[in-house]
Amino acid sequence: MSFLRADRLGRGRPGPPAKAGELQVEERRSTRSGHVCSGTLACSHCDAPVAAGERGLTLTEELLCPFCEHRGPVREFLSLSPPTRPARVVVRVSLPAA
């Protein structure tokens, strides 16, 4: 045998009845965050910090080290190991533009 109790919308759902004065609240956020982690952009050869500029970069775009002139994709310059150093970047996931 089971007992059903009605919520505020009149739908029945299984579960124990709420205690007197107990209010249940479910929070749902409408915003999404693509933030994955924080990291550092530095040359993989000489460890010099590299500036990303104002716009976002993809992992396959090419960067140039300002110190030793090493060229390579962004993923070669990105370090996710802690602690992050002054050339901090935020790694985000985003959908391509339609």
Side-chain angles (χ1 to χ4, degrees):
M1 174 186 264
S2 69
F3 293 95
L4 297 176
R5 64 182 174 94
D7 62 8
R8 284 188 274 169
L9 299 175
R11 297 180 303 224
R13 64 178 183 201
K19 295 178 184 173
E22 184 179 314
L23 178 64
Q24 295 180 358
V25 177
E26 181 178 339
E27 182 179 334
R28 291 187 182 209
R29 298 179 186 211
S30 61
T31 60
R32 290 179 150 187
S33 173
H35 183 271
V36 175
C37 61
S38 296
T40 303
L41 270 185
C43 180
S44 58
H45 288 132
C46 67
D47 203 36
V50 178
E54 293 294 318
R55 65 180 187 84
L57 301 172
T58 64
L59 291 175
T60 56
E61 285 186 62
E62 196 168 276
L63 278 181
L64 174 67
C65 174
F67 186 73
C68 72
E69 297 184 353
H70 166 70
R71 286 187 182 273
V74 172
R75 67 177 164 265
E76 278 187 24
F77 290 81
L78 181 62
S79 170
L80 301 178
S81 60
T84 57
R85 298 187 309 266
R88 286 185 196 93
V89 293
V90 175
V91 179
R92 296 179 191 259
V93 175
S94 62
L95 296 173

